Amino acid sequence: MSTTTETKPETATARPRTLPTAPCSVVWSKGHAYVLEGFRARWVGVDDRGRPHAFTGADLQRRGWTHTRCN
């Protein structure tokens, strides 16, 4: 009879991260920077061709995001 038990280590991906809420916060998604517009609560940035894009917080959660640039 064994008295030890195995537990799974917690990983950073196990708990959901929340997007920043301070106006002018910057996050990265798919190699592009997005800035939070405080008065509209949307994330704005540009695509590869310089066209503007706006996302809701839920959209960015689905797309994936980080605090640092990742290619």
Tab-separated table of all heavy atoms in Angstrom:
chain	number	residue	atom	x	y	z
A	1	MET	N	0.848	-1.165	0.000
A	1	MET	CA	0.000	0.000	0.000
A	1	MET	C	0.899	1.236	0.000
A	1	MET	O	1.741	1.393	0.847
A	1	MET	CB	-0.903	-0.021	1.223
A	1	MET	CG	-1.824	1.151	1.282
A	1	MET	SD	-2.873	1.042	2.710
A	1	MET	CE	-4.386	0.660	1.922
A	2	SER	N	0.686	2.119	-0.963
A	2	SER	CA	1.507	3.313	-1.093
A	2	SER	C	0.822	4.505	-0.433
A	2	SER	O	-0.394	4.663	-0.513
A	2	SER	CB	1.744	3.608	-2.568
A	2	SER	OG	2.426	4.807	-2.707
A	3	THR	N	1.615	5.315	0.231
A	3	THR	CA	1.047	6.490	0.884
A	3	THR	C	1.280	7.761	0.074
A	3	THR	O	0.867	8.827	0.481
A	3	THR	CB	1.661	6.680	2.286
A	3	THR	OG1	3.066	6.824	2.135
A	3	THR	CG2	1.314	5.531	3.187
A	4	THR	N	1.961	7.657	-1.062
A	4	THR	CA	2.197	8.839	-1.892
A	4	THR	C	1.119	8.949	-2.956
A	4	THR	O	0.570	7.950	-3.414
A	4	THR	CB	3.576	8.759	-2.584
A	4	THR	OG1	3.598	7.613	-3.416
A	4	THR	CG2	4.692	8.687	-1.559
A	5	THR	N	0.814	10.154	-3.318
A	5	THR	CA	-0.157	10.388	-4.380
A	5	THR	C	0.472	11.296	-5.428
A	5	THR	O	1.303	12.139	-5.115
A	5	THR	CB	-1.437	11.057	-3.847
A	5	THR	OG1	-1.081	12.290	-3.230
A	5	THR	CG2	-2.151	10.166	-2.849
A	6	GLU	N	0.064	11.094	-6.644
A	6	GLU	CA	0.566	11.941	-7.720
A	6	GLU	C	-0.413	13.079	-7.957
A	6	GLU	O	-1.616	12.874	-7.964
A	6	GLU	CB	0.718	11.126	-8.999
A	6	GLU	CG	1.852	10.136	-8.946
A	6	GLU	CD	2.037	9.457	-10.284
A	6	GLU	OE1	1.833	10.122	-11.316
A	6	GLU	OE2	2.376	8.275	-10.281
A	7	THR	N	0.148	14.262	-8.124
A	7	THR	CA	-0.688	15.414	-8.452
A	7	THR	C	-0.159	16.035	-9.730
A	7	THR	O	1.032	15.998	-10.013
A	7	THR	CB	-0.675	16.463	-7.333
A	7	THR	OG1	0.670	16.900	-7.126
A	7	THR	CG2	-1.238	15.905	-6.038
A	8	LYS	N	-1.047	16.599	-10.489
A	8	LYS	CA	-0.646	17.271	-11.709
A	8	LYS	C	-0.154	18.672	-11.361
A	8	LYS	O	-0.803	19.387	-10.599
A	8	LYS	CB	-1.829	17.378	-12.668
A	8	LYS	CG	-2.277	16.049	-13.203
A	8	LYS	CD	-3.404	16.236	-14.170
A	8	LYS	CE	-3.888	14.904	-14.691
A	8	LYS	NZ	-5.027	15.065	-15.588
A	9	PRO	N	0.996	19.078	-11.897
A	9	PRO	CA	1.469	20.437	-11.624
A	9	PRO	C	0.588	21.461	-12.323
A	9	PRO	O	0.056	21.216	-13.405
A	9	PRO	CB	2.885	20.452	-12.210
A	9	PRO	CG	2.877	19.369	-13.229
A	9	PRO	CD	1.890	18.342	-12.746
A	10	GLU	N	0.426	22.622	-11.688
A	10	GLU	CA	-0.353	23.691	-12.298
A	10	GLU	C	0.472	24.349	-13.385
A	10	GLU	O	1.656	24.590	-13.217
A	10	GLU	CB	-0.743	24.738	-11.257
A	10	GLU	CG	-1.859	24.295	-10.358
A	10	GLU	CD	-2.372	25.442	-9.518
A	10	GLU	OE1	-2.422	26.575	-10.026
A	10	GLU	OE2	-2.701	25.207	-8.365
A	11	THR	N	-0.167	24.612	-14.487
A	11	THR	CA	0.528	25.292	-15.569
A	11	THR	C	-0.088	26.661	-15.775
A	11	THR	O	-1.211	26.930	-15.340
A	11	THR	CB	0.425	24.487	-16.874
A	11	THR	OG1	-0.948	24.387	-17.225
A	11	THR	CG2	1.050	23.118	-16.732
A	12	ALA	N	0.636	27.511	-16.465
A	12	ALA	CA	0.143	28.867	-16.727
A	12	ALA	C	-1.097	28.843	-17.609
A	12	ALA	O	-1.921	29.733	-17.557
A	12	ALA	CB	1.233	29.704	-17.371
A	13	THR	N	-1.237	27.819	-18.440
A	13	THR	CA	-2.399	27.748	-19.318
A	13	THR	C	-3.619	27.172	-18.620
A	13	THR	O	-4.710	27.215	-19.167
A	13	THR	CB	-2.075	26.896	-20.563
A	13	THR	OG1	-1.674	25.603	-20.130
A	13	THR	CG2	-0.986	27.535	-21.388
A	14	ALA	N	-3.453	26.643	-17.425
A	14	ALA	CA	-4.574	26.038	-16.720
A	14	ALA	C	-5.583	27.088	-16.256
A	14	ALA	O	-6.773	26.844	-16.256
A	14	ALA	CB	-4.073	25.231	-15.530
A	15	ARG	N	-5.107	28.248	-15.859
A	15	ARG	CA	-6.047	29.265	-15.403
A	15	ARG	C	-6.182	30.343	-16.472
A	15	ARG	O	-5.203	30.764	-17.077
A	15	ARG	CB	-5.604	29.849	-14.076
A	15	ARG	CG	-4.397	30.713	-14.109
A	15	ARG	CD	-4.038	31.095	-12.684
A	15	ARG	NE	-2.804	30.453	-12.360
A	15	ARG	CZ	-1.664	31.114	-12.229
A	15	ARG	NH1	-1.629	32.398	-12.307
A	15	ARG	NH2	-0.554	30.471	-11.984
A	16	PRO	N	-7.397	30.791	-16.720
A	16	PRO	CA	-7.597	31.790	-17.760
A	16	PRO	C	-7.009	33.143	-17.362
A	16	PRO	O	-7.105	33.547	-16.208
A	16	PRO	CB	-9.117	31.876	-17.904
A	16	PRO	CG	-9.659	31.346	-16.630
A	16	PRO	CD	-8.640	30.387	-16.101
A	17	ARG	N	-6.393	33.796	-18.322
A	17	ARG	CA	-5.857	35.123	-18.063
A	17	ARG	C	-6.914	36.146	-18.429
A	17	ARG	O	-7.698	35.947	-19.338
A	17	ARG	CB	-4.614	35.371	-18.916
A	17	ARG	CG	-3.481	34.441	-18.587
A	17	ARG	CD	-2.299	34.732	-19.440
A	17	ARG	NE	-2.690	34.634	-20.854
A	17	ARG	CZ	-1.969	35.059	-21.853
A	17	ARG	NH1	-0.804	35.600	-21.645
A	17	ARG	NH2	-2.372	34.937	-23.097
A	18	THR	N	-6.901	37.262	-17.743
A	18	THR	CA	-7.834	38.324	-18.061
A	18	THR	C	-7.086	39.456	-18.750
A	18	THR	O	-5.929	39.737	-18.436
A	18	THR	CB	-8.541	38.851	-16.801
A	18	THR	OG1	-7.555	39.305	-15.879
A	18	THR	CG2	-9.377	37.772	-16.158
A	19	LEU	N	-7.739	40.070	-19.691
A	19	LEU	CA	-7.158	41.197	-20.401
A	19	LEU	C	-7.016	42.388	-19.468
A	19	LEU	O	-7.814	42.563	-18.538
A	19	LEU	CB	-8.049	41.588	-21.581
A	19	LEU	CG	-8.004	40.663	-22.784
A	19	LEU	CD1	-9.211	40.894	-23.670
A	19	LEU	CD2	-6.721	40.887	-23.553
A	20	PRO	N	-6.020	43.250	-19.694
A	20	PRO	CA	-5.898	44.467	-18.884
A	20	PRO	C	-7.123	45.357	-19.080
A	20	PRO	O	-7.785	45.299	-20.115
A	20	PRO	CB	-4.650	45.147	-19.466
A	20	PRO	CG	-3.962	44.142	-20.293
A	20	PRO	CD	-4.965	43.115	-20.681
A	21	THR	N	-7.413	46.174	-18.088
A	21	THR	CA	-8.582	47.039	-18.170
A	21	THR	C	-8.230	48.519	-18.161
A	21	THR	O	-9.109	49.352	-18.335
A	21	THR	CB	-9.543	46.751	-17.003
A	21	THR	OG1	-8.829	46.909	-15.772
A	21	THR	CG2	-10.110	45.352	-17.092
A	22	ALA	N	-6.966	48.862	-17.960
A	22	ALA	CA	-6.566	50.272	-17.942
A	22	ALA	C	-6.540	50.815	-19.367
A	22	ALA	O	-6.047	50.151	-20.281
A	22	ALA	CB	-5.189	50.417	-17.310
A	23	PRO	N	-7.093	52.023	-19.596
A	23	PRO	CA	-7.040	52.619	-20.928
A	23	PRO	C	-5.595	52.711	-21.425
A	23	PRO	O	-4.675	52.920	-20.643
A	23	PRO	CB	-7.637	54.006	-20.738
A	23	PRO	CG	-8.474	53.881	-19.510
A	23	PRO	CD	-7.785	52.871	-18.639
A	24	CYS	N	-5.407	52.554	-22.700
A	24	CYS	CA	-4.101	52.601	-23.372
A	24	CYS	C	-3.215	51.405	-23.046
A	24	CYS	O	-2.014	51.445	-23.295
A	24	CYS	CB	-3.373	53.910	-23.071
A	24	CYS	SG	-4.284	55.348	-23.641
A	25	SER	N	-3.775	50.337	-22.501
A	25	SER	CA	-3.019	49.101	-22.304
A	25	SER	C	-2.725	48.495	-23.663
A	25	SER	O	-3.503	48.636	-24.600
A	25	SER	CB	-3.821	48.098	-21.474
A	25	SER	OG	-4.029	48.585	-20.180
A	26	VAL	N	-1.589	47.816	-23.777
A	26	VAL	CA	-1.196	47.212	-25.041
A	26	VAL	C	-1.053	45.707	-24.866
A	26	VAL	O	-0.459	45.248	-23.900
A	26	VAL	CB	0.144	47.792	-25.550
A	26	VAL	CG1	0.586	47.099	-26.829
A	26	VAL	CG2	0.032	49.285	-25.752
A	27	VAL	N	-1.617	44.939	-25.795
A	27	VAL	CA	-1.430	43.493	-25.853
A	27	VAL	C	-1.083	43.130	-27.291
A	27	VAL	O	-1.290	43.914	-28.220
A	27	VAL	CB	-2.682	42.710	-25.383
A	27	VAL	CG1	-2.997	43.001	-23.931
A	27	VAL	CG2	-3.874	42.989	-26.262
A	28	TRP	N	-0.545	41.940	-27.468
A	28	TRP	CA	-0.157	41.442	-28.784
A	28	TRP	C	-0.997	40.233	-29.138
A	28	TRP	O	-1.265	39.385	-28.282
A	28	TRP	CB	1.315	41.055	-28.787
A	28	TRP	CG	2.208	42.234	-28.635
A	28	TRP	CD1	2.583	42.828	-27.469
A	28	TRP	CD2	2.830	42.982	-29.671
A	28	TRP	NE1	3.398	43.896	-27.721
A	28	TRP	CE2	3.577	44.008	-29.067
A	28	TRP	CE3	2.830	42.875	-31.063
A	28	TRP	CZ2	4.305	44.919	-29.811
A	28	TRP	CZ3	3.566	43.779	-31.796
A	28	TRP	CH2	4.285	44.790	-31.172
A	29	SER	N	-1.415	40.154	-30.387
A	29	SER	CA	-2.161	39.007	-30.875
A	29	SER	C	-1.741	38.740	-32.311
A	29	SER	O	-1.831	39.634	-33.169
A	29	SER	CB	-3.662	39.276	-30.810
A	29	SER	OG	-4.394	38.181	-31.308
A	30	LYS	N	-1.243	37.540	-32.553
A	30	LYS	CA	-0.818	37.125	-33.889
A	30	LYS	C	0.174	38.113	-34.510
A	30	LYS	O	0.082	38.455	-35.684
A	30	LYS	CB	-2.025	36.914	-34.788
A	30	LYS	CG	-2.936	35.819	-34.259
A	30	LYS	CD	-4.032	35.478	-35.218
A	30	LYS	CE	-4.864	34.347	-34.628
A	30	LYS	NZ	-5.916	33.912	-35.514
A	31	GLY	N	1.107	38.616	-33.695
A	31	GLY	CA	2.158	39.483	-34.179
A	31	GLY	C	1.781	40.943	-34.334
A	31	GLY	O	2.559	41.732	-34.853
A	32	HIS	N	0.595	41.339	-33.886
A	32	HIS	CA	0.147	42.726	-34.015
A	32	HIS	C	-0.206	43.296	-32.647
A	32	HIS	O	-0.770	42.598	-31.804
A	32	HIS	CB	-1.071	42.823	-34.936
A	32	HIS	CG	-0.783	42.375	-36.332
A	32	HIS	ND1	-0.151	43.167	-37.248
A	32	HIS	CD2	-1.023	41.200	-36.956
A	32	HIS	CE1	-0.024	42.510	-38.386
A	32	HIS	NE2	-0.537	41.298	-38.226
A	33	ALA	N	0.109	44.565	-32.459
A	33	ALA	CA	-0.204	45.245	-31.201
A	33	ALA	C	-1.630	45.787	-31.255
A	33	ALA	O	-2.083	46.274	-32.288
A	33	ALA	CB	0.771	46.392	-30.969
A	34	TYR	N	-2.304	45.695	-30.119
A	34	TYR	CA	-3.650	46.243	-29.985
A	34	TYR	C	-3.707	47.073	-28.716
A	34	TYR	O	-3.204	46.665	-27.674
A	34	TYR	CB	-4.700	45.131	-29.948
A	34	TYR	CG	-4.787	44.410	-31.273
A	34	TYR	CD1	-4.014	43.287	-31.521
A	34	TYR	CD2	-5.607	44.891	-32.279
A	34	TYR	CE1	-4.061	42.651	-32.757
A	34	TYR	CE2	-5.663	44.259	-33.514
A	34	TYR	CZ	-4.887	43.145	-33.743
A	34	TYR	OH	-4.923	42.529	-34.956
A	35	VAL	N	-4.321	48.245	-28.817
A	35	VAL	CA	-4.405	49.190	-27.702
A	35	VAL	C	-5.861	49.290	-27.266
A	35	VAL	O	-6.768	49.385	-28.099
A	35	VAL	CB	-3.882	50.580	-28.124
A	35	VAL	CG1	-4.000	51.584	-26.997
A	35	VAL	CG2	-2.446	50.479	-28.607
A	36	LEU	N	-6.070	49.313	-25.956
A	36	LEU	CA	-7.431	49.422	-25.421
A	36	LEU	C	-7.881	50.875	-25.449
A	36	LEU	O	-7.235	51.746	-24.883
A	36	LEU	CB	-7.488	48.894	-23.984
A	36	LEU	CG	-8.837	48.974	-23.289
A	36	LEU	CD1	-9.886	48.142	-24.030
A	36	LEU	CD2	-8.715	48.517	-21.851
A	37	GLU	N	-8.970	51.133	-26.155
A	37	GLU	CA	-9.596	52.453	-26.136
A	37	GLU	C	-10.505	52.497	-24.927
A	37	GLU	O	-11.469	51.740	-24.846
A	37	GLU	CB	-10.437	52.683	-27.394
A	37	GLU	CG	-9.663	53.039	-28.620
A	37	GLU	CD	-10.597	53.434	-29.761
A	37	GLU	OE1	-11.784	53.055	-29.746
A	37	GLU	OE2	-10.115	54.115	-30.660
A	38	GLY	N	-10.197	53.359	-23.991
A	38	GLY	CA	-10.941	53.401	-22.743
A	38	GLY	C	-12.391	53.786	-22.873
A	38	GLY	O	-13.259	53.232	-22.213
A	39	PHE	N	-12.700	54.729	-23.756
A	39	PHE	CA	-14.071	55.217	-23.834
A	39	PHE	C	-14.994	54.289	-24.601
A	39	PHE	O	-16.195	54.397	-24.515
A	39	PHE	CB	-14.112	56.627	-24.437
A	39	PHE	CG	-13.550	56.718	-25.833
A	39	PHE	CD1	-14.381	56.608	-26.929
A	39	PHE	CD2	-12.196	56.916	-26.035
A	39	PHE	CE1	-13.861	56.690	-28.214
A	39	PHE	CE2	-11.673	57.006	-27.311
A	39	PHE	CZ	-12.501	56.894	-28.402
A	40	ARG	N	-14.458	53.342	-25.355
A	40	ARG	CA	-15.289	52.416	-26.113
A	40	ARG	C	-15.116	50.963	-25.688
A	40	ARG	O	-15.831	50.104	-26.173
A	40	ARG	CB	-14.989	52.525	-27.591
A	40	ARG	CG	-15.497	53.808	-28.183
A	40	ARG	CD	-15.615	53.585	-29.620
A	40	ARG	NE	-16.821	54.217	-30.099
A	40	ARG	CZ	-17.034	54.431	-31.359
A	40	ARG	NH1	-16.156	54.047	-32.251
A	40	ARG	NH2	-18.128	54.998	-31.760
A	41	ALA	N	-14.142	50.697	-24.852
A	41	ALA	CA	-13.856	49.338	-24.379
A	41	ALA	C	-13.664	48.368	-25.543
A	41	ALA	O	-14.241	47.300	-25.595
A	41	ALA	CB	-14.945	48.842	-23.435
A	42	ARG	N	-12.840	48.786	-26.510
A	42	ARG	CA	-12.492	47.901	-27.614
A	42	ARG	C	-10.995	47.998	-27.859
A	42	ARG	O	-10.351	48.979	-27.506
A	42	ARG	CB	-13.268	48.232	-28.883
A	42	ARG	CG	-12.912	49.585	-29.454
A	42	ARG	CD	-13.697	49.872	-30.695
A	42	ARG	NE	-13.257	51.159	-31.239
A	42	ARG	CZ	-13.571	51.612	-32.419
A	42	ARG	NH1	-14.353	50.892	-33.199
A	42	ARG	NH2	-13.129	52.772	-32.837
A	43	TRP	N	-10.456	46.954	-28.451
A	43	TRP	CA	-9.032	46.870	-28.752
A	43	TRP	C	-8.823	47.202	-30.218
A	43	TRP	O	-9.441	46.600	-31.084
A	43	TRP	CB	-8.527	45.457	-28.447
A	43	TRP	CG	-8.619	45.147	-26.985
A	43	TRP	CD1	-9.680	44.611	-26.325
A	43	TRP	CD2	-7.616	45.383	-26.014
A	43	TRP	NE1	-9.390	44.492	-24.993
A	43	TRP	CE2	-8.125	44.956	-24.774
A	43	TRP	CE3	-6.318	45.905	-26.065
A	43	TRP	CZ2	-7.385	45.040	-23.597
A	43	TRP	CZ3	-5.587	45.994	-24.891
A	43	TRP	CH2	-6.128	45.557	-23.674
A	44	VAL	N	-7.959	48.188	-30.495
A	44	VAL	CA	-7.745	48.621	-31.873
A	44	VAL	C	-6.289	48.441	-32.273
A	44	VAL	O	-5.378	48.550	-31.450
A	44	VAL	CB	-8.178	50.092	-32.085
A	44	VAL	CG1	-9.670	50.247	-31.918
A	44	VAL	CG2	-7.441	51.017	-31.150
A	45	GLY	N	-6.086	48.143	-33.546
A	45	GLY	CA	-4.752	47.974	-34.102
A	45	GLY	C	-4.857	47.930	-35.618
A	45	GLY	O	-5.904	48.269	-36.185
A	46	VAL	N	-3.777	47.538	-36.286
A	46	VAL	CA	-3.781	47.454	-37.740
A	46	VAL	C	-3.283	46.080	-38.178
A	46	VAL	O	-2.539	45.420	-37.455
A	46	VAL	CB	-2.917	48.557	-38.389
A	46	VAL	CG1	-3.500	49.924	-38.109
A	46	VAL	CG2	-1.488	48.482	-37.902
A	47	ASP	N	-3.688	45.679	-39.391
A	47	ASP	CA	-3.232	44.397	-39.930
A	47	ASP	C	-1.940	44.597	-40.718
A	47	ASP	O	-1.335	45.673	-40.681
A	47	ASP	CB	-4.326	43.731	-40.761
A	47	ASP	CG	-4.673	44.497	-42.035
A	47	ASP	OD1	-3.993	45.484	-42.373
A	47	ASP	OD2	-5.640	44.090	-42.708
A	48	ASP	N	-1.520	43.571	-41.451
A	48	ASP	CA	-0.279	43.626	-42.219
A	48	ASP	C	-0.273	44.720	-43.277
A	48	ASP	O	0.782	45.196	-43.675
A	48	ASP	CB	-0.023	42.276	-42.907
A	48	ASP	CG	0.299	41.180	-41.912
A	48	ASP	OD1	0.789	41.502	-40.818
A	48	ASP	OD2	0.059	40.007	-42.232
A	49	ARG	N	-1.425	45.103	-43.736
A	49	ARG	CA	-1.526	46.120	-44.790
A	49	ARG	C	-1.864	47.499	-44.249
A	49	ARG	O	-2.155	48.412	-45.015
A	49	ARG	CB	-2.561	45.698	-45.815
A	49	ARG	CG	-2.151	44.430	-46.532
A	49	ARG	CD	-3.139	44.067	-47.587
A	49	ARG	NE	-2.677	42.874	-48.284
A	49	ARG	CZ	-3.354	42.293	-49.237
A	49	ARG	NH1	-4.505	42.788	-49.626
A	49	ARG	NH2	-2.872	41.217	-49.821
A	50	GLY	N	-1.859	47.655	-42.938
A	50	GLY	CA	-2.133	48.956	-42.340
A	50	GLY	C	-3.600	49.301	-42.208
A	50	GLY	O	-3.950	50.425	-41.878
A	51	ARG	N	-4.477	48.318	-42.434
A	51	ARG	CA	-5.908	48.563	-42.294
A	51	ARG	C	-6.309	48.454	-40.830
A	51	ARG	O	-5.864	47.542	-40.130
A	51	ARG	CB	-6.706	47.550	-43.118
A	51	ARG	CG	-6.446	47.677	-44.609
A	51	ARG	CD	-7.165	46.607	-45.369
A	51	ARG	NE	-6.612	45.310	-45.009
A	51	ARG	CZ	-6.691	44.228	-45.762
A	51	ARG	NH1	-7.323	44.257	-46.910
A	51	ARG	NH2	-6.157	43.093	-45.358
A	52	PRO	N	-7.146	49.372	-40.358
A	52	PRO	CA	-7.542	49.340	-38.947
A	52	PRO	C	-8.435	48.138	-38.629
A	52	PRO	O	-9.240	47.715	-39.449
A	52	PRO	CB	-8.299	50.646	-38.751
A	52	PRO	CG	-8.750	51.044	-40.110
A	52	PRO	CD	-7.754	50.479	-41.084
A	53	HIS	N	-8.239	47.608	-37.434
A	53	HIS	CA	-9.071	46.516	-36.929
A	53	HIS	C	-9.443	46.831	-35.489
A	53	HIS	O	-8.638	47.363	-34.738
A	53	HIS	CB	-8.317	45.183	-36.953
A	53	HIS	CG	-8.251	44.573	-38.303
A	53	HIS	ND1	-9.197	43.704	-38.770
A	53	HIS	CD2	-7.351	44.713	-39.292
A	53	HIS	CE1	-8.881	43.332	-40.001
A	53	HIS	NE2	-7.756	43.939	-40.336
A	54	ALA	N	-10.650	46.481	-35.110
A	54	ALA	CA	-11.111	46.656	-33.738
A	54	ALA	C	-11.715	45.340	-33.262
A	54	ALA	O	-12.447	44.676	-33.999
A	54	ALA	CB	-12.147	47.771	-33.648
A	55	PHE	N	-11.367	44.955	-32.044
A	55	PHE	CA	-11.862	43.713	-31.460
A	55	PHE	C	-12.427	43.979	-30.082
A	55	PHE	O	-11.972	44.867	-29.364
A	55	PHE	CB	-10.733	42.687	-31.322
A	55	PHE	CG	-10.159	42.236	-32.627
A	55	PHE	CD1	-8.926	42.688	-33.053
A	55	PHE	CD2	-10.848	41.349	-33.437
A	55	PHE	CE1	-8.390	42.270	-34.260
A	55	PHE	CE2	-10.325	40.929	-34.648
A	55	PHE	CZ	-9.098	41.388	-35.054
A	56	THR	N	-13.393	43.167	-29.693
A	56	THR	CA	-13.863	43.199	-28.310
A	56	THR	C	-12.919	42.350	-27.467
A	56	THR	O	-12.088	41.606	-28.005
A	56	THR	CB	-15.291	42.615	-28.208
A	56	THR	OG1	-15.242	41.236	-28.565
A	56	THR	CG2	-16.274	43.369	-29.086
A	57	GLY	N	-13.040	42.443	-26.169
A	57	GLY	CA	-12.229	41.616	-25.284
A	57	GLY	C	-12.456	40.138	-25.538
A	57	GLY	O	-11.522	39.340	-25.531
A	58	ALA	N	-13.695	39.749	-25.805
A	58	ALA	CA	-14.012	38.346	-26.083
A	58	ALA	C	-13.342	37.881	-27.374
A	58	ALA	O	-12.854	36.752	-27.454
A	58	ALA	CB	-15.528	38.159	-26.169
A	59	ASP	N	-13.303	38.758	-28.375
A	59	ASP	CA	-12.628	38.410	-29.633
A	59	ASP	C	-11.151	38.131	-29.391
A	59	ASP	O	-10.598	37.157	-29.909
A	59	ASP	CB	-12.753	39.537	-30.658
A	59	ASP	CG	-14.161	39.720	-31.183
A	59	ASP	OD1	-14.952	38.753	-31.140
A	59	ASP	OD2	-14.465	40.838	-31.630
A	60	LEU	N	-10.493	38.979	-28.607
A	60	LEU	CA	-9.069	38.775	-28.331
A	60	LEU	C	-8.826	37.518	-27.504
A	60	LEU	O	-7.823	36.839	-27.694
A	60	LEU	CB	-8.473	39.989	-27.617
A	60	LEU	CG	-7.941	41.084	-28.532
A	60	LEU	CD1	-7.347	42.212	-27.721
A	60	LEU	CD2	-6.930	40.568	-29.510
A	61	GLN	N	-9.730	37.201	-26.601
A	61	GLN	CA	-9.593	35.964	-25.828
A	61	GLN	C	-9.624	34.760	-26.766
A	61	GLN	O	-8.849	33.826	-26.611
A	61	GLN	CB	-10.702	35.838	-24.782
A	61	GLN	CG	-10.584	36.813	-23.636
A	61	GLN	CD	-9.486	36.477	-22.655
A	61	GLN	OE1	-8.574	35.705	-22.921
A	61	GLN	NE2	-9.558	37.087	-21.497
A	62	ARG	N	-10.515	34.774	-27.749
A	62	ARG	CA	-10.609	33.674	-28.706
A	62	ARG	C	-9.383	33.602	-29.603
A	62	ARG	O	-8.904	32.521	-29.924
A	62	ARG	CB	-11.869	33.813	-29.570
A	62	ARG	CG	-13.140	33.373	-28.872
A	62	ARG	CD	-14.304	33.312	-29.840
A	62	ARG	NE	-14.668	34.629	-30.355
A	62	ARG	CZ	-15.489	35.464	-29.737
A	62	ARG	NH1	-16.029	35.135	-28.590
A	62	ARG	NH2	-15.788	36.638	-30.271
A	63	ARG	N	-8.863	34.750	-30.040
A	63	ARG	CA	-7.708	34.802	-30.921
A	63	ARG	C	-6.415	34.411	-30.202
A	63	ARG	O	-5.488	33.941	-30.818
A	63	ARG	CB	-7.509	36.220	-31.470
A	63	ARG	CG	-8.517	36.652	-32.470
A	63	ARG	CD	-8.348	38.124	-32.816
A	63	ARG	NE	-7.007	38.490	-33.224
A	63	ARG	CZ	-6.578	38.534	-34.474
A	63	ARG	NH1	-7.404	38.212	-35.449
A	63	ARG	NH2	-5.350	38.896	-34.765
A	64	GLY	N	-6.367	34.676	-28.905
A	64	GLY	CA	-5.154	34.471	-28.127
A	64	GLY	C	-4.367	35.776	-28.070
A	64	GLY	O	-4.357	36.541	-29.036
A	65	TRP	N	-3.748	36.058	-26.952
A	65	TRP	CA	-3.014	37.296	-26.785
A	65	TRP	C	-1.912	37.112	-25.753
A	65	TRP	O	-1.923	36.160	-24.989
A	65	TRP	CB	-3.955	38.426	-26.351
A	65	TRP	CG	-4.573	38.182	-25.002
A	65	TRP	CD1	-5.706	37.479	-24.748
A	65	TRP	CD2	-4.089	38.617	-23.739
A	65	TRP	NE1	-5.954	37.444	-23.398
A	65	TRP	CE2	-4.968	38.139	-22.753
A	65	TRP	CE3	-2.987	39.361	-23.342
A	65	TRP	CZ2	-4.789	38.389	-21.410
A	65	TRP	CZ3	-2.802	39.606	-21.990
A	65	TRP	CH2	-3.718	39.120	-21.040
A	66	THR	N	-0.941	38.022	-25.770
A	66	THR	CA	0.149	38.029	-24.799
A	66	THR	C	0.491	39.482	-24.459
A	66	THR	O	0.073	40.411	-25.149
A	66	THR	CB	1.417	37.352	-25.352
A	66	THR	OG1	1.887	38.112	-26.456
A	66	THR	CG2	1.173	35.922	-25.762
A	67	HIS	N	1.269	39.624	-23.381
A	67	HIS	CA	1.763	40.959	-23.015
A	67	HIS	C	3.000	41.322	-23.813
A	67	HIS	O	3.395	42.474	-23.844
A	67	HIS	CB	2.088	41.028	-21.524
A	67	HIS	CG	0.878	41.075	-20.648
A	67	HIS	ND1	0.069	42.188	-20.542
A	67	HIS	CD2	0.300	40.137	-19.855
A	67	HIS	CE1	-0.920	41.951	-19.715
A	67	HIS	NE2	-0.811	40.699	-19.289
A	68	THR	N	3.633	40.341	-24.426
A	68	THR	CA	4.850	40.582	-25.211
A	68	THR	C	4.657	40.114	-26.639
A	68	THR	O	3.835	39.240	-26.915
A	68	THR	CB	6.062	39.834	-24.607
A	68	THR	OG1	5.761	38.429	-24.556
A	68	THR	CG2	6.377	40.343	-23.209
A	69	ARG	N	5.452	40.671	-27.535
A	69	ARG	CA	5.330	40.307	-28.947
A	69	ARG	C	5.876	38.899	-29.184
A	69	ARG	O	6.960	38.553	-28.753
A	69	ARG	CB	6.107	41.302	-29.793
A	69	ARG	CG	5.950	41.033	-31.254
A	69	ARG	CD	6.668	42.058	-32.072
A	69	ARG	NE	6.405	41.792	-33.481
A	69	ARG	CZ	6.764	42.593	-34.450
A	69	ARG	NH1	7.400	43.710	-34.174
A	69	ARG	NH2	6.485	42.285	-35.685
A	70	CYS	N	5.100	38.096	-29.871
A	70	CYS	CA	5.504	36.736	-30.248
A	70	CYS	C	5.221	36.569	-31.725
A	70	CYS	O	4.161	36.919	-32.208
A	70	CYS	CB	4.701	35.692	-29.489
A	70	CYS	SG	4.938	35.727	-27.738
A	71	ASN	N	6.177	36.027	-32.459
A	71	ASN	CA	5.961	35.774	-33.896
A	71	ASN	C	5.701	34.328	-34.135
A	71	ASN	O	6.112	33.453	-33.592
A	71	ASN	CB	7.155	36.234	-34.712
A	71	ASN	CG	7.203	37.744	-34.796
A	71	ASN	OD1	6.199	38.400	-34.640
A	71	ASN	ND2	8.374	38.261	-35.036
